[in-house]
Amino acid sequence: MNGPRLYTIGFTKTDAESFFETLGKSNVRRVIDVRLNNSSQLSGFAKRDDLRYFLKSLHQIDYLHLLDLAPTSEMLDTYKKYKGSWEEYEQAFLELIHRRQIEQNLPPELIDGACLLCSEDTPEHCHRRLVAEYLLERDPSLTIEHLRPGGRGRRVEGGRV
C-alpha cells in the first residue's frame, strides 16, 4: 500500500495558467498555504481570496491557510530584510515547527493529496520544503513531490514513487 503523497509549489516567476494547470494535472486535492502573509497585493493571483476562488472553480481544489506552518515575522525579517543566512533561518524554523508539534494537527488524511504553497519559486530555500521534510522524518511512508509550474520539472523525495 502506498503512503500519503504531499506536494509543494511556489508561485513567483510563473503565470496563473501554468500554476493552476500544474496543480490540476497533479491530482492535488487541497492547497495548504504556509505563508505568513497571504493577502499582499504582491501575491497577484495567489492572494488568499482569489486563490481560494480559482482553485475551487478551475479544479475543485480546497484551500486551507495554516499559520502553524509559517515562520514568525521576526524570523522572516531577519532572513529577508536583514540578509540573515539560510542556515540560521533553517535551524530556527525547524526548531519552531518542532516546538509547535505541527504533526499533531496534520493527520495523514489532511496531508495526502495536499500541496504546501509558498511564494518562493523553488523549494531549495523555502520553508515549505522544511515542513515537508520534517513531516517525512515523522512518516517515512510519505512521498514528497515538488511541483514546478511552467515545465520546470519535478523533484521527488522519500517514499515510493
Side-chain angles (χ1 to χ4, degrees):
M1 182 176 159
N2 291 335
R5 180 175 289 275
L6 177 66
Y7 303 89
T8 79
I9 195 167
F11 63 83
T12 58
K13 298 184 184 176
T14 190
D15 58 45
E17 181 178 1
S18 295
F19 177 81
F20 290 107
E21 287 305 310
T22 298
L23 287 170
K25 290 177 184 175
S26 298
N27 298 314
V28 168
R29 292 195 301 252
R30 86 190 45 77
V31 165
I32 299 176
D33 194 335
V34 299
R35 295 175 290 170
L36 183 61
N37 303 307
N38 66 350
S39 58
S40 163
Q41 291 297 332
L42 299 175
S43 297
F45 63 83
K47 283 174 38 183
R48 174 193 58 226
D49 295 336
D50 294 337
L51 183 58
R52 179 180 288 120
Y53 170 78
F54 290 131
L55 289 168
K56 188 55 89 176
S57 296
L58 294 171
H59 298 293
Q60 293 303 304
I61 296 173
D62 294 326
Y63 173 84
L64 183 61
H65 184 220
L66 292 180
L67 281 173
D68 276 355
L69 305 183
T72 64
S73 58
E74 296 82 17
M75 198 177 287
L76 204 52
D77 286 349
T78 299
Y79 177 59
K80 298 275 187 174
K81 287 184 183 176
Y82 305 115
K83 310 287 188 216
S85 76
W86 171 255
E87 292 75 20
E88 290 171 352
Y89 176 81
E90 182 175 15
Q91 182 178 350
F93 183 73
L94 288 171
E95 289 171 6
L96 176 68
I97 60 176
H98 178 74
R99 275 194 317 273
R100 288 177 175 171
Q101 297 181 326
I102 62 167
E103 67 276 12
Q104 300 299 318
N105 296 320
L106 294 170
E109 59 273 10
L110 182 66
I111 293 172
D112 192 24
C115 184
L116 303 178
L117 167 81
C118 196
S119 59
E120 299 293 331
D121 62 324
T122 63
E124 287 76 19
H125 288 104
C126 183
H127 73 281
R128 71 179 185 267
R129 176 184 60 84
L130 301 177
V131 169
E133 291 173 358
Y134 177 90
L135 294 171
L136 176 63
E137 287 178 10
R138 278 131 189 90
D139 181 0
S141 72
L142 182 66
T143 298
I144 301 168
E145 187 171 341
H146 299 290
L147 303 177
R148 300 196 178 185
R152 293 179 285 150
R154 297 177 177 183
R155 190 175 96 206
V156 177
E157 301 173 5
R160 296 170 296 279
V161 180

